[in-house]
Amino acid sequence: AFLAMDVCRFRAQECDEESAFLQSLPMQKLNPPQVPVALESACASYFRGFDNISINPDSMTVTDASLSNEVLANILDVPAIADLNHTVPMLHYMPGITMNPEFGTRGKLAVPLVGDYGCLKPGPPTEGICGWYRVTEYDGCDFPVNGDFYRGAFDGFPELKYVHNSGVIRGCESKIISTRYACYLPGPTPVHCDECQANPTPHG
């Protein structure tokens, strides 16, 4: 500070001019730093997996094709399911599912709804047997929100129209960005998939 005052004593005019210049500069309003908004998961705390990835409400689906047709036939009390020659995938979540004409029947399933987007909670029925839930992200998929899904959740009665038995949305095969699995035991209790039986979900 002493040096600065000493310099200004001998260069008073220059110091005055510099001070006047600085005061003439327009004041710039600094915006506060932007805090990233956390993405709300479509399925609350479920299906995040151990990497804690949110289920994007606009681009991700959660499907389950790991149940045998025999078990599913008993759960839904629809014996004909046991005679089908393809796996029946269950839509736990799909963007726009709340707009489906059969959405009201989803709430009558044994598996309750979670969150605000119409997602169905995981509900593997057999003790000691994992449910494998496929989480698929798409870019530009035209989701079949008006599809005639049985009880608002199942495709494949009597044929698959909208979803492959692997859980992939038909017509969006080339628009897949990523696929991963979240596994649960009854409870539901999240577990690492490598601790489960082999994945029974058809691939594709």
Side-chain angles (χ1 to χ4, degrees):
F2 174 78
L3 291 175
M5 292 176 62
D6 191 52
V7 170
C8 281
R9 186 178 303 138
F10 295 99
R11 299 172 55 196
Q13 183 176 358
E14 291 183 19
C15 286
D16 289 343
E17 291 176 352
E18 182 177 358
S19 177
F21 170 74
L22 291 173
Q23 293 181 20
S24 70
L25 292 176
M27 294 292 290
Q28 292 186 350
K29 184 178 179 181
L30 298 178
N31 294 321
Q34 298 297 309
V35 178
V37 178
L39 178 67
E40 182 179 7
S41 179
C43 296
S45 61
Y46 297 102
F47 306 117
R48 289 174 175 266
F50 289 91
D51 46 7
N52 201 32
I53 296 176
S54 295
I55 304 302
N56 190 312
D58 301 319
S59 62
M60 288 183 174
T61 61
V62 180
T63 55
D64 176 17
S66 63
L67 277 182
S68 69
N69 285 358
E70 290 77 14
V71 172
L72 188 58
N74 289 331
I75 292 174
L76 297 178
D77 194 23
V78 182
I81 294 176
D83 298 326
L84 295 173
N85 59 7
H86 58 261
T87 303
V88 176
M90 179 179 184
L91 278 172
H92 279 261
Y93 178 71
M94 179 182 71
I97 192 65
T98 57
M99 296 183 289
N100 187 267
E102 297 297 320
F103 177 74
T105 61
R106 281 173 74 85
K108 299 177 183 179
L109 293 167
V111 181
L113 294 168
V114 292
D116 298 325
Y117 295 88
C119 183
L120 289 167
K121 183 178 178 179
T126 309
E127 192 65 32
I129 302 296
C130 296
W132 288 72
Y133 300 90
R134 179 172 183 156
V135 179
T136 308
E137 183 168 19
Y138 300 86
D139 181 12
C141 179
D142 184 13
F143 298 104
V145 296
N146 293 314
D148 54 339
F149 295 107
Y150 180 70
R151 297 196 186 180
F154 298 93
D155 189 20
F157 299 172
E159 61 183 0
L160 293 164
K161 298 179 182 178
Y162 313 103
V163 186
H164 290 285
N165 60 358
S166 62
V168 173
I169 302 297
R170 289 176 177 263
C172 295
E173 299 85 351
S174 63
K175 299 178 180 180
I176 295 174
I177 297 176
S178 65
T179 294
R180 61 183 178 84
Y181 285 92
C183 291
Y184 285 85
L185 285 169
T189 302
V191 292
H192 288 281
C193 289
D194 56 10
E195 300 175 12
C196 296
Q197 78 283 359
N199 184 1
T201 304
H203 295 283

